[in-house]
Amino acid sequence: MIARNARLLSALAAGLLSAATSAQQYPAKPIRLVVPFPPSGPADVIARPLAQRLGEVLGQPVVVENRAGATGTIGASFVAKSPPDGYTLLMGTSNELAMSPGLYSKLPYHPSADFAPVSVVIVFPNILIAHPALPVRSTAELIALAKARPGQLNFATSGPGSTNHLSGELFKTLAGVKVAFVAYKGGGPAVTDLMGGHVDAMFATMPSAVSFVQSGKLRGLMVTDGKRWSAAPEVPSAREAGVPGLIVLTWNGVLAPAGTPAALVAKLNADIVKVANTPEMKERMAAQAAEVTTTTPEEFAGILRRDFEKWLKVIKSAGIRID
């Protein structure tokens, strides 16, 4: 028994030494950062400057690879099934990691079981926007109009189960109103049709809509956070707008496949936190109407778990199913 225990302790020590040595030598080759959305989209725009600076710190190129499709689930599935060696990472978002798992009955990954969270990188809220011709100048007036015309107001979305769709479903519940949703193939066409007056309002991601609010082409009614945002300081927060429960923050963060050694996750976390919090990165993200927000791996895991549970309740309540 003593000899057996000694062998087990020896094997454990050897494993720990091997992991430590691996972490010291990492990275020995280029790293892939998979973006599960098309080039030039919000996740891609954030990933590229991060990858460039991270590569400089690590001493190996960090190559952005776009694997788009199925609202981010194709790229996320690819990373979940990749070797847990630190050389394939995901620029994940709350769409495919906190929302999609409740929308698909046979999703090929689980947000908690199949990923090792490294760090959140940025967050941004949604913004409730309306066509200027709609006779409302505040969220309270929009709610009053929706109650006066139940089911007659049209909210654009970038597709069933998207962040702006689920934000709208949560708004319906909290405000006690009925609105109709018009699904588009992406946020861009939805915003374009809203500006054309074909729909009345929508919840859009802050980066995709703030410039139109600033130019007066669209009217900003509320940001889905407990505070105002510097990108649109004149737009009230959800709390100020009278819907304090409507807090919807979209996050983008880096994750590795589950089973990635803790030492590698810790190293990546330290380097990503360092790179993301440089003045240059903060300025670049602010230009995208986003705020740099970094976390520990444990904090990121908690955010992922809480958001998954939150959106699962909304999805079940609304009876939404993609497949």
Side-chain angles (χ1 to χ4, degrees), residues 56-279:
E56 294 169 0
V57 171
L58 291 172
Q60 288 285 349
V62 178
V63 182
V64 173
E65 184 175 306
N66 297 92
R67 285 181 174 260
T71 61
T73 61
I74 290 176
S77 178
F78 174 79
V79 174
K81 297 174 182 177
S82 295
D85 55 11
Y87 289 100
T88 302
L89 306 173
L90 175 70
M91 176 55 81
T93 77
S94 44
N95 281 280
E96 74 279 3
L97 294 174
M99 296 175 178
S100 289
L103 295 165
Y104 294 86
S105 59
K106 295 181 180 180
L107 200 65
Y109 59 84
H110 189 280
S112 296
D114 294 326
F115 295 97
V118 178
S119 177
V120 172
V121 177
I122 60 96
V123 298
F124 52 84
N126 284 344
I127 181 170
L128 176 57
I129 50 179
H131 189 273
L134 195 69
V136 299
R137 291 188 172 275
S138 68
T139 300
E141 291 181 358
L142 178 64
I143 292 172
L145 184 63
K147 288 182 176 179
R149 304 178 186 174
Q152 295 180 37
L153 295 186
N154 295 320
F155 275 43
T157 79
S158 59
S162 59
T163 179
N164 38 50
H165 179 203
L166 295 185
S167 296
E169 293 286 0
L170 185 56
F171 174 73
K172 281 173 55 180
T173 299
L174 295 174
V177 297
K178 292 182 179 180
V179 299
F181 293 104
V182 180
Y184 290 84
K185 293 182 178 180
V191 173
T192 298
D193 252 22
L194 176 58
M195 286 193 293
H198 302 294
V199 284
D200 300 309
M202 70 176 292
F203 284 91
T205 59
M206 180 73 89
S208 68
V210 68
S211 63
F212 303 115
V213 173
Q214 292 169 340
S215 67
K217 293 179 180 178
L218 293 171
R219 181 171 292 145
L221 302 179
M222 171 182 64
V223 293
T224 58
D225 195 7
K227 63 180 179 66
R228 297 194 181 203
W229 274 62
S230 58
E234 74 284 359
V235 181
S237 67
R239 183 172 291 111
E240 293 172 311
V243 197
L246 192 55
I247 305 299
V248 181
L249 291 174
T250 295
W251 43 259
N252 285 208
V254 177
L255 304 95
T260 300
L264 294 187
V265 172
K267 175 175 176 53
L268 283 166
N269 174 268
D271 290 337
I272 288 170
V273 169
K274 177 182 177 181
V275 167
N277 283 287
T278 59

Side-chain angles (χ1 to χ4, degrees), residues 16-27:
L16 292 173
L17 179 61
S18 175
T21 302
S22 177
Q24 290 173 354
Q25 296 174 344
Y26 174 85

